[in-house]
Amino acid sequence: NAGVMQNPRHLVRRRGQEARLRCSPMKGHSHVYWYRQLPEEGLKFMVYLQKENIIDESGMPKERFSAEFPKEGPSILRIQQVVRGDSAAYFCASSPGPGRDREQYFGPGTRLTVT
Amino acid sequence: ELKVEQNPLFLSMQEGKNYTIYCNYSTTSDRLYWYRQDPGKSLESLFVLLSNGAVKQEGRLMASLDTKARLSTLHITAAVHDLSATYFCAVLTQGGSEKLVFGKGTKLTVNP
């Protein structure tokens, strides 16, 4: 059973460009979480999605950031018009949902560098 | 709003010594996690603690949970260089959307 997959692993964008980060959850998992880690800091929650639904986006910046988890395909975190402050590691986690095993399994992360 | 505080944030130890990392959290939760992160890597799950008085051990690491005090500890016994990493505690929020709230991490350096 493959783990959570994220791609790309490293992404370099110039200021003003768009960044698209992809996350494929573990097989059988229908819940996806995105977290951001700024340099030398802990992870901070951004958004929680189920298939075709955003459950909680309280950690998402109000502008330029959006997320989706379509019926088919990976979850995507999209950052428009990137700025230097967006440089960070973005981690995706998946879980099977409410119930006994609610553990979130983390992917390898995408390291975004904005030049 | 749930807040999680870890201390110390930086810890430099000699090999063979013991030390404890502390994790305090501000509101009730029924799950607390400890993770390890090596530089440039993802998170490795070490322990999940579910109930008051829970204690788990793996090798030189032992984690415990006191839900009444809202405190978890990660105890390191006879540290070795391979334990050098950043350690995070994270608490699962309860009710509604369940998300992890992380501490800032403890960067551990074990010196030979």
Side-chain angles (χ1 to χ4, degrees):
Chain A
N1 187 7
V4 178
M5 293 192 289
Q6 289 187 249
N7 68 81
R9 298 287 300 275
H10 298 274
L11 182 61
V12 179
R13 284 286 177 265
R14 290 201 180 105
R15 277 181 299 170
Q17 291 185 317
E18 178 180 288
R20 279 184 180 239
L21 288 61
R22 292 175 187 77
C23 168
S24 296
M26 285 178 71
K27 188 176 179 182
H29 286 190
S30 58
H31 295 241
V32 165
Y33 307 79
W34 286 93
Y35 294 86
R36 177 165 67 173
Q37 185 177 32
L38 294 170
E40 306 298 324
E41 295 211 0
L43 279 71
K44 286 194 165 44
F45 168 79
M46 298 182 76
V47 61
Y48 165 30
L49 309 106
Q50 294 176 28
K51 288 276 187 186
E52 300 184 279
N53 280 309
I54 296 175
I55 306 302
D56 181 349
E57 56 182 346
S58 58
M60 287 275 271
K62 295 282 184 277
E63 297 176 350
R64 303 187 297 108
F65 285 72
S66 61
E68 62 176 7
F69 189 13
K71 189 176 178 183
E72 302 289 339
S75 174
I76 296 185
L77 179 69
R78 183 179 174 212
I79 312 171
Q80 294 179 289
Q81 298 175 316
V82 295
V83 301
R84 288 227 171 96
D86 296 332
S87 295
Y90 292 81
F91 291 96
C92 162
S94 74
S95 81
R100 192 161 174 80
D101 178 10
R102 287 133 68 199
E103 180 155 5
Q104 296 179 21
Y105 297 83
F106 282 85
T110 294
R111 278 149 185 88
L112 171 66
T113 302
V114 179
T115 61
Chain B
E1 182 190 337
L2 174 59
K3 292 191 189 312
V4 178
E5 288 190 4
Q6 262 181 263
N7 68 83
L9 298 183
F10 298 93
L11 179 55
S12 182
M13 307 174 58
Q14 295 286 331
E15 277 192 328
K17 298 290 188 185
N18 305 332
Y19 210 83
T20 301
I21 299 170
Y22 298 88
C23 175
N24 287 92
Y25 55 100
S26 60
T27 63
T28 302
S29 172
D30 63 354
R31 283 186 181 229
L32 187 142
Y33 297 87
W34 284 96
Y35 294 94
R36 169 182 171 145
Q37 186 180 40
D38 291 290
K41 303 290 186 185
S42 186
L43 298 173
E44 175 190 351
S45 179
L46 296 174
F47 302 107
V48 53
L49 302 168
L50 303 178
S51 59
N52 189 42
V55 177
K56 290 195 174 179
Q57 183 160 7
E58 181 73 37
R60 300 173 189 273
L61 301 177
M62 183 173 71
S64 66
L65 178 63
D66 180 343
T67 56
K68 291 190 171 74
R70 295 184 189 145
L71 170 68
S72 179
T73 61
L74 180 67
H75 188 72
I76 303 153
T77 302
V80 293
H81 180 68
D82 284 353
L83 289 179
S84 297
T86 300
Y87 293 84
F88 293 97
C89 68
V91 178
L92 192 69
T93 61
Q94 281 193 291
S97 154
E98 291 187 333
K99 52 189 179 260
L100 289 170
V101 179
F102 284 80
K104 290 191 173 181
T106 297
K107 186 170 183 178
L108 172 65
T109 304
V110 181
N111 303 304

